[in-house]
Amino acid sequence: MILQSLARYYRRLIDNDTNGVAPYGFSPEKISYAILLSPDGKCAQVQDVRDSAGKKLIPRMLEVPQPPKRGSNIAP
């Protein structure tokens, strides 16, 4: 019962975009560039996605697949 309530609450948090909760398996990361691929999988373009609101270019916070945890057993 408690786990079901927590799962419902988590889904509500994800649906409400204003709170910054990422879906399971995703995390907010600072992203500066996007690599655009052609249909055959080759690099077509590198796009700068940084915000230029002030004098300095600032990376955007985007939800991306969560990177693996790193430790003494480094994943390739």
Side-chain angles (χ1 to χ4, degrees):
M1 180 103 159
I2 293 174
L3 289 178
Q4 292 171 344
S5 297
L6 286 173
R8 280 195 303 270
Y9 180 62
Y10 183 66
R11 282 193 293 269
R12 280 198 324 255
L13 286 176
I14 291 172
D15 291 340
N16 184 6
D17 291 333
T18 60
N19 56 24
V21 175
Y24 181 75
F26 286 78
S27 67
E29 301 287 338
K30 293 179 183 177
I31 305 295
S32 297
Y33 298 95
I35 299 173
L36 303 176
L37 301 176
S38 63
D40 61 349
K42 294 183 180 177
C43 180
Q45 182 181 358
V46 177
Q47 183 179 16
D48 189 357
V49 294
R50 296 177 290 183
D51 289 330
S52 60
K55 293 181 180 180
K56 205 173 182 185
L57 294 174
I58 301 171
R60 290 176 55 192
M61 292 298 288
L62 298 174
E63 289 180 2
V64 296
Q66 190 172 18
K69 300 285 184 194
R70 299 276 175 147
S72 59
N73 296 335
I74 298 174

